[in-house]
Amino acid sequence: MPRRTAKAASELLPSPDKLHPLLESRITDPHSALGMHHGKTGNSIIVRCLDPQADKVEILFDNGQRKEMRKIHPDGLFAIKFPKRKEMFAYRLEKHYGKNTYVSEDPYSFMPGIGEMDIYLFNKGEHNRVFEAMGAHPRKMGDVPGIRFTVWAPNADRVSVVGDFNMWDGRRHMMRMIGSSGIWELFIPRMESGEIYKFELRAKNGDVFLKLDPYAYRTELRPNNAAITTAGVQDFQWRDDDWIKARINTNWLKQPVNIYEVHLASWRGPGLREIDPDNENDFHTYRELAHALTGYVKEIGYTHVELMPVAEHPLDISWGYQVTGFYSPTARFGAPEDFAYFVDYLHQNGIGVILDWVPAHFPKDAFSLGRFDGTALYEHADPRQGEQRDWGTYIFNFGRNEVKNFLIGNALFWMERYHVDGLRVDAVASMLYLNYSRDDGEWLPNQYGGNENLEAIAFLRRLNELTNKLHPGTLMIAEESTAWPMVSHPTYLGGLGFNNKWNMGWMHDTLEYFTQDPVYRSYHHGQLTFSLVYAFSENFILPLSHDEVVYGKRSLLNKMPGDYDQKFANLRALLAFMTCHPGKKLLFMGGEFGQWNEWNSVTGLDWNLLDHPRHKEVREMVKAVNRMYRETPSLWQEDYSQNGFQWIESGDYQQSVYSFVRWDEHRKNPVVVIANLTPVDRNDYKIGVPEPGKWTEIFCSESKEFGGRGRGNPEPLDTVSGTFHNFPHHLPVFLPGLSVTVLKRG
């Protein structure tokens, strides 16, 4: 190269401290080298562009003129000098790739698209709308539309946006770090929704790898795992205003809550087309499921559905509990607006939607959160704090502000953008205890030497405070399996702030009791009474969940002892007993019609069983008991107060009979519940009642239409004066074997 030409080229180059990191793709501020800059003397303008794939790059002016840029480095660095120009000017770049051309504004000609307050709040862990600040979002910079990308990766040497649009070349769209915030940012002009992208990161040790955007609103269908640019559901036309307005003023503790737990991929219920068993990508869509599930849930009489995790996850058989896309409804069933339609449609039909939410841990998949910038960023570095060995996953670092913000923002995101009515928080116990499922020497104590995870506790309290404040009427439900106190008590009283807690003790004791042969139940009588010792210490939900019908535990029906008819009688009694017991209710799909086999997430439920009378009759009983539940305030108004429950007889262990009264909030309208849990009929069983007069049987699980023998109390019963069971009046009642009977005065 002639000396004068070489000198001219050197004038176009950025300073060596910028040039070498730029060409080696380890620069933290590419905007300082690329785009438009004043020349060294201040009397010229230099424009630089790095594109190793381009054959030629031209500058286009608004007046239609163009000037070709000079390739000043073989690695694809182009530049042009405008001498004697001091003022910046508008321009576009036209890049030539063989016969193809691409025209847009220069990504490196824009100021940062994220504000200082956004950065401040994020780093402090207090950005309640972090999902708008981070990730990929359609934006206008001036009059120029495009996509603004932001990602948190404080320990990376370089971060780029890559995708089909730039042939996955990390040199072409390098991002800049904003100060010392750890946030990288880039605006790509003219990019539209629907582009597939990932972040390419270079770690301090030189490793280069691809990562899914943690805040991606939409992802590809597995096994692909890139993000897709989208505005999400900002433009979705919601029609659930009446539901949302009513929800704000609803105290669910004083309302009927009867939840149907659903795994969307395997529900496959009435009203849906057949799934192709040979096509692993054949799923029902969110819209198909909305109509079919709504019709079914309304028919059976549930108030809410709870969806096993719908956030994106790569492995079908994880059931959604190994989350990789926390802000993305899984692509298995459609696009984000399709999931919005699902929620909206259920709301329009008076059905609440609760999501399983998994903040306790995340999988180690290389494309996701683990070792995100080459370091333990979202997780702890020490495996004694950072790994959950039971599940082969990482544990979130709840002490890091940006991690807390990611998770709390995620909870608020589902409530705001998708109008969900609550979150059932998975595996809370694993968050609360540092030694959860660990032997001595495998965990680190807290600063006071205890096993409590103080950072996780603070996180949960803040989470529940914000969700209840910003989205009143929503439910935060803890799956917490220990005796941790005050889980569902307000934080200002020292509680964790959840609205409800799953009653795992009730579930285990009750199922253990019902699996006993009735001849032995008298020896296990206390398993059904023990739950009332602590029933009002928390705002409990009684769950018969998916966890109890998998992995060799057998289905609810198949757990039951006895012959064919007795199994069904026991199941009917179990479901009716749960309905009448204090606490809100949850039943996993299939339990309502007596699914015989264990739940299989691949093959779905055995709906053909409804062709058999017994299974159809069980479902008829569930419909009837659900209707009775909704129509009887005494069964739900005082679920969490001792004033709403009163034992009549808890000690008749020899006959395995339990009887109690449920009261409404005014201590009126008593309902008497009697469970006879052996196959022996009890004639003229004497029972004390709180009020005189006629008592009518409003439900019996052994009614003929439910598959029972049809023996009960068809006529109203008159009380007899005389103290019995510490009540001034009593009744002689017929109790069919293996039954639950409900009486109401009048």
Side-chain angles (χ1 to χ4, degrees):
M1 180 182 297
R3 184 175 178 181
R4 185 171 180 179
T5 305
K7 182 180 179 181
S10 67
E11 290 179 346
L12 298 176
L13 290 170
S15 60
D17 64 316
K18 301 290 184 183
L19 177 63
H20 299 305
L22 177 69
L23 297 178
E24 293 168 7
S25 297
R26 54 179 180 83
I27 191 169
T28 60
D29 186 17
H31 293 69
S32 65
L34 301 176
M36 181 178 289
H37 299 272
H38 287 289
K40 294 178 181 178
T41 64
N43 292 319
S44 62
I45 296 291
I46 296 174
V47 180
R48 301 187 194 95
C49 169
L50 179 67
D51 193 327
Q53 304 289 341
D55 299 316
K56 182 173 72 171
V57 181
E58 294 181 286
I59 294 279
L60 302 185
F61 299 92
D62 289 343
N63 61 10
Q65 292 184 338
R66 63 177 63 221
K67 285 188 177 291
E68 184 174 349
M69 300 180 75
R70 179 178 176 184
K71 191 171 188 178
I72 59 173
H73 194 281
D75 286 350
L77 184 60
F78 296 82
I80 186 170
K81 181 178 180 180
F82 296 92
K84 299 181 180 180
R85 294 195 68 163
K86 297 181 181 180
E87 300 296 327
M88 300 292 186
F89 54 86
Y91 68 97
R92 289 173 295 155
L93 297 175
E94 181 174 281
K95 298 180 180 181
H96 297 256
Y97 309 95
K99 296 181 180 180
N100 299 316
T101 60
Y102 175 77
V103 178
S104 81
E105 288 74 13
D106 187 350
Y108 298 99
S109 65
F110 295 92
M111 297 293 288
I114 182 171
E116 292 182 3
M117 184 56 69
D118 286 326
I119 295 171
Y120 170 78
L121 291 173
F122 175 70
N123 286 148
K124 199 174 179 181
E126 296 179 358
H127 201 314
N128 295 339
R129 304 180 70 82
V130 65
F131 46 87
E132 293 181 349
M134 304 298 292
H137 301 281
R139 289 286 187 272
K140 270 193 172 184
M141 299 291 279
D143 294 327
V144 181
I147 305 289
R148 187 209 66 196
F149 295 87
T150 50
V151 64
W152 180 57
N155 303 304
D157 255 4
R158 185 260 303 168
V159 182
S160 301
V161 187
V162 296
D164 292 341
F165 59 91
N166 62 11
M167 293 183 268
W168 298 87
D169 188 335
R171 298 169 295 179
R172 296 175 65 184
H173 287 96
M174 292 184 284
M175 307 175 76
R176 64 176 154 205
M177 185 188 285
I178 308 297
S180 60
S181 66
I183 296 174
W184 300 73
E185 182 267 353
L186 183 67
F187 176 73
I188 301 183
R190 306 295 171 180
M191 180 179 278
E192 298 179 350
S193 293
E195 287 283 358
I196 293 171
Y197 75 97
K198 283 189 177 183
F199 293 120
E200 181 181 275
L201 293 91
R202 176 184 169 123
K204 297 290 187 186
N205 64 2
D207 288 346
V208 177
F209 43 86
L210 297 176
K211 288 289 187 178
L212 172 67
D213 181 356
Y215 291 87
Y217 284 178
R218 185 178 182 184
T219 53
E220 294 182 288
L221 175 63
R222 58 95 181 100
N224 297 327
N225 50 45
I228 303 173
T229 58
T230 178
V233 294
Q234 284 183 307
D235 297 328
F236 183 80
Q237 298 299 308
W238 292 91
R239 296 177 174 83
D240 63 350
D241 288 353
D242 290 343
W243 171 270
I244 298 298
K245 289 176 183 176
R247 187 183 74 184
I248 290 173
N249 298 311
T250 297
N251 178 4
W252 290 109
L253 303 183
K254 294 283 189 178
Q255 294 296 318
V257 175
N258 193 3
I259 304 167
Y260 187 57
E261 187 188 20
V262 176
H263 179 255
L264 284 181
S266 61
W267 182 67
R268 303 180 189 176
L272 289 172
R273 60 181 172 81
E274 291 293 324
I275 289 290
D276 181 357
D278 297 322
N279 182 0
E280 65 177 9
N281 291 329
D282 187 15
F283 295 98
H284 296 120
T285 68
Y286 288 119
R287 293 175 185 256
E288 289 174 326
L289 287 161
H291 290 265
L293 189 58
T294 294
Y296 187 76
V297 167
K298 288 182 70 173
E299 178 189 359
I300 306 303
Y302 294 99
T303 63
H304 294 70
V305 296
E306 180 180 309
L307 305 181
M308 293 170 69
V310 297
E312 193 58 87
H313 52 282
L315 188 64
D316 292 355
I317 60 173
S318 80
W319 310 334
Y321 292 96
Q322 302 260 349
V323 180
T324 52
F326 279 78
Y327 286 80
S328 307
T330 178
R332 290 167 175 81
F333 315 115
E337 54 268 28
D338 298 321
F339 181 64
Y341 180 92
F342 175 92
V343 177
D344 190 51
Y345 190 81
L346 267 72
H347 282 175
Q348 291 180 59
N349 284 274
I351 301 165
V353 180
I354 299 167
L355 303 186
D356 268 13
W357 188 58
V358 191
H361 62 113
F362 59 94
K364 295 181 178 180
D365 298 72
F367 69 88
S368 189
L369 294 178
R371 304 300 192 260
F372 189 80
D373 62 0
T375 68
L377 188 62
Y378 285 85
E379 70 274 27
H380 289 277
D382 191 324
R384 292 174 294 178
Q385 294 174 289
E387 292 190 23
Q388 181 49 258
R389 295 177 182 174
D390 286 355
W391 306 313
T393 53
Y394 288 128
I395 299 171
F396 281 105
N397 183 346
F398 300 108
R400 184 166 277 167
N401 286 340
E402 295 86 352
V403 174
K404 289 187 292 186
N405 211 161
F406 171 77
L407 290 170
I408 291 176
N410 187 238
L412 297 174
F413 167 81
W414 289 108
M415 292 177 176
E416 177 174 324
R417 291 297 174 85
Y418 289 102
H419 293 198
V420 302
D421 302 289
L423 302 174
R424 175 267 197 184
V425 183
D426 182 63
V428 171
S430 74
M431 301 169 68
L432 295 175
Y433 297 96
L434 294 166
N435 62 340
Y436 180 85
S437 194
R438 295 176 186 271
D439 296 327
D440 291 343
E442 295 180 345
W443 61 282
L444 296 177
N446 63 35
Q447 58 184 311
Y448 305 109
N451 67 342
E452 302 88 356
N453 189 333
L454 302 179
E455 294 169 341
I457 294 166
F459 160 77
L460 289 171
R461 286 174 171 161
R462 184 60 177 159
L463 165 74
N464 291 323
E465 288 170 352
L466 282 174
T467 51
N468 281 283
K469 175 183 177 181
L470 299 177
H471 299 282
T474 57
L475 295 172
M476 294 297 291
I477 303 166
E479 188 224 5
E480 203 285 310
S481 56
T482 74
W484 188 280
M486 302 179 71
V487 170
S488 57
H489 290 234
T491 58
Y492 62 81
L493 296 178
L496 292 182
F498 285 96
N499 304 97
N500 297 93
K501 173 182 172 176
W502 271 22
N503 195 336
M504 311 291 279
W506 173 88
M507 178 177 69
H508 292 140
D509 286 347
T510 301
L511 290 178
E512 175 68 20
Y513 178 89
F514 271 89
T515 58
Q516 300 293 328
D517 188 299
V519 73
Y520 301 116
R521 285 180 176 171
S522 62
Y523 301 103
H524 298 268
H525 194 79
Q527 287 186 301
L528 289 196
T529 61
F530 181 62
S531 61
L532 273 304
V533 174
Y534 60 87
F536 311 108
S537 63
E538 300 277 6
N539 300 331
F540 282 121
I541 290 176
L542 311 181
L544 292 176
S545 72
H546 66 276
D547 280 327
E548 302 311 306
V549 293
V550 291
Y551 298 143
K553 295 179 183 178
R554 297 174 293 168
S555 69
L556 291 181
L557 177 60
N558 205 12
K559 292 179 194 288
M560 300 296 108
D563 60 23
Y564 185 76
D565 285 339
Q566 288 176 340
K567 283 182 177 291
F568 282 94
N570 272 296
L571 178 62
R572 294 192 300 268
L574 166 64
L575 298 178
F577 184 81
M578 175 179 74
T579 303
C580 297
H581 189 288
K584 309 309 180 186
K585 329 296 175 189
L586 178 142
L587 180 66
F588 182 59
M589 62 184 198
E592 78 279 8
F593 63 80
Q595 169 80 12
W596 183 263
N597 294 316
E598 280 190 349
W599 170 55
N600 185 316
S601 64
V602 176
T603 60
L605 300 178
D606 297 325
W607 292 99
N608 60 302
L609 291 175
L610 288 170
D611 294 334
H612 300 273
R614 285 291 180 269
H615 295 274
K616 188 174 182 180
E617 289 158 350
V618 168
R619 190 171 66 171
E620 289 302 310
M621 189 221 72
V622 171
K623 289 164 64 174
V625 80
N626 285 353
R627 182 171 58 252
M628 176 190 70
Y629 170 72
R630 293 194 316 277
E631 295 173 352
T632 310
S634 296
L635 291 177
W636 41 263
Q637 277 186 342
E638 290 292 286
D639 270 327
Y640 304 123
S641 169
Q642 181 69 56
N643 292 329
F645 178 88
Q646 185 176 4
W647 279 115
I648 297 174
E649 173 61 88
S650 64
D652 190 359
Y653 68 92
Q654 291 181 321
Q655 298 185 90
S656 297
V657 175
Y658 304 79
S659 53
F660 53 86
V661 182
R662 296 295 310 276
W663 299 89
D664 68 14
E665 61 184 348
H666 303 294
R667 190 71 177 181
K668 295 182 178 179
N669 301 309
V671 173
V672 168
V673 180
I674 316 160
N676 176 21
L677 299 179
T678 68
V680 180
D681 293 342
R682 309 291 178 189
N683 289 293
D684 293 329
Y685 185 87
K686 189 183 292 187
I687 185 169
V689 291
E691 294 180 358
K694 292 185 182 295
W695 287 76
T696 302
E697 181 181 281
I698 60 172
F699 175 84
C700 180
S701 63
E702 273 296 283
S703 295
K704 197 165 187 178
E705 62 265 35
F706 307 149
R709 291 169 295 154
R711 302 186 66 195
N713 300 274
E715 301 298 328
L717 303 171
D718 289 313
T719 55
V720 178
S721 296
T723 300
F724 200 79
H725 291 144
N726 292 318
F727 290 98
H729 313 277
H730 60 272
L731 290 171
V733 183
F734 176 76
L735 302 179
L738 298 176
S739 71
V740 170
T741 299
V742 182
L743 306 174
K744 189 174 183 179
R745 191 170 176 278

